[in-house]
Amino acid sequence: FEDNREALLAQKLHDEARLVRYAPPLLDIAIRGQRPDFAQQVMKSLELWTGARWTVSISDESPASTLRE
């Protein structure tokens, strides 16, 4: 995300998101306190960069640590 000039999304994914499931083109993360359109922003960015239609979902599960942790 940083390489594509999405520094704010990159920071939030790095510092606050916990990976629940990653199976391209599916991304399921646990992240709290984000704007309602956060998943939509991530989906649009991933689609633009990869050419594939992504599904990004926000989960209540949080089995993994954040990258920051």
Side-chain angles (χ1 to χ4, degrees), residues 19-28 54-55:
L19 184 63
V20 175
R21 183 171 178 221
Y22 176 72
L26 170 71
L27 176 63
D28 190 9
W54 282 74
T55 300

Side-chain angles (χ1 to χ4, degrees), residues 4-41:
N4 291 297
R5 300 182 184 201
E6 288 290 349
L8 185 57
L9 282 177
Q11 178 188 6
K12 290 189 179 298
L13 289 169
H14 182 273
D15 294 352
E16 301 174 31
R18 297 172 186 274
L19 184 63
V20 175
R21 183 171 178 221
Y22 176 72
L26 170 71
L27 176 63
D28 190 9
I29 57 174
I31 189 167
R32 293 193 174 118
Q34 296 306 313
R35 295 176 15 188
D37 67 340
F38 182 78
Q40 189 75 8
Q41 288 178 321

Side-chain angles (χ1 to χ4, degrees), residues 33-69:
Q34 296 306 313
R35 295 176 15 188
D37 67 340
F38 182 78
Q40 189 75 8
Q41 288 178 321
V42 174
M43 281 190 296
K44 285 181 181 179
S45 296
L46 288 171
E47 183 175 355
L48 178 66
W49 303 328
T50 65
R53 189 172 191 94
W54 282 74
T55 300
V56 176
S57 58
I58 307 297
S59 176
D60 290 332
E61 297 179 43
S62 59
S65 299
T66 67
L67 290 173
R68 182 179 180 181
E69 293 174 334

